[in-house]
Amino acid sequence: MPTTSVFFIGGPEIMLRVGDMAITAERGAGRMQTGPWLADPDAGVTRGALGVALDDVTGYLVDAGSPDGQWPVSLGIRVDFIADPPLDGSALELTGELVARYDGGAMSRGMVTDASGATIATMIQRSHLVSAPGSPGDHATPDLLAAPEGPVREQLGLVATAPDVFTMPPTPLSANGMGSVHGGILVCASELAAMTAIEAGGGFRTTSVDIAYVRPCVASEITTFTCDMVHQGRSMSVVRVVSANSPGKPSSIATVILQRI
């Protein structure tokens, strides 16, 4: 059984400057650089982008303690946000730790802290193991990509195509090493879709995203995000966001809670 994991740099990691990973079967650590690409006209600051870094630092430690030929796939993630990530180019510290392993899966948790040591986000992730006949890095293509400078929404190509419906075209910037849309990108895109659906205009912030992954979301296909307004009040809104590929069956189901600032 391996005790370390190879960290594959793909499109999401390049877009969000995630790296410097040190992973064992019990703990993970890494960094994410901040910058203007985290700003957004509707979200104000794209807190959901931290989902990519947290998914990596918690998922790879599960892989490090998993049998050869198996790969952890997220069943569900809950991210709670305490504060905005800065936009000044400073580095965020990522930490992850194993909660428990069990037959066929594991639970792990992660944290993001800023340069002062203050916690800005936490995550709990539950994953299960699947057979991985190829390398989990088969679809990681850092040699084809440069780190973009524009907002995350723009880089992903997320646009409204109908009231409360948004689409994301195929892009290497969304794909993990297995060719699926990165679980953290689904967190991020669900947040952005919810913000636009409530016409946030930068006046709200995401306090949590609770997302279930029910089937793979294929990165080489168009992904559609459909928003359902569960509650829209003066100070808080709750939006259910479902992602799907062309067959229309859900890939992820997210509950996004947004609070007025």
Side-chain angles (χ1 to χ4, degrees), residues 8-97:
F8 296 101
I9 300 292
E13 289 78 20
I14 290 171
M15 179 173 63
L16 295 168
R17 283 74 167 175
V18 177
D20 295 333
M21 288 285 185
I23 304 291
T24 71
E26 299 291 329
R27 296 187 180 277
R31 289 187 174 185
M32 173 179 164
Q33 181 187 347
T34 64
W37 48 87
L38 296 177
D40 186 81
D42 283 321
V45 178
T46 310
R47 292 182 173 188
L50 300 176
V52 170
L54 284 164
D55 190 9
D56 284 344
V57 79
T58 57
Y60 275 97
L61 69 87
V62 175
D63 174 58
S66 299
D68 290 335
Q70 293 192 303
W71 179 254
V73 175
S74 296
L75 287 172
I77 283 174
R78 180 184 169 95
V79 192
D80 287 282
F81 303 98
I82 300 168
D84 290 338
L87 306 177
D88 58 6
S90 59
L92 302 176
E93 298 293 328
L94 317 171
T95 56
E97 63 178 358

Side-chain angles (χ1 to χ4, degrees), residues 227-248:
C227 298
D228 176 31
M229 201 70 60
V230 179
H231 169 77
Q232 187 167 16
R234 293 182 178 180
S235 61
M236 186 182 76
S237 292
V238 181
V239 185
R240 182 174 179 264
V241 184
V242 178
S243 75
N245 288 139
S246 55

Side-chain angles (χ1 to χ4, degrees), residues 115-152:
S116 73
T119 301
I120 61 174
T122 64
M123 172 197 271
I124 288 288
Q125 175 169 199
R126 186 182 291 272
S127 57
H128 70 135
L129 301 179
V130 299
S131 297
S135 166
D138 285 347
H139 295 268
T141 55
D143 54 317
L144 303 180
L145 301 170
E149 296 290 336
V152 171

Side-chain angles (χ1 to χ4, degrees), residues 159-182:
V159 296
T161 53
D164 299 335
V165 178
F166 304 82
T167 59
M168 181 176 70
T171 171
L173 292 172
S174 74
N176 65 18
M178 298 297 286
S180 299
V181 176
H182 193 294

Side-chain angles (χ1 to χ4, degrees), residues 194-206:
M195 282 287 188
T196 303
I198 69 166
E199 300 180 345
F204 283 74
R205 290 293 188 272
T206 304

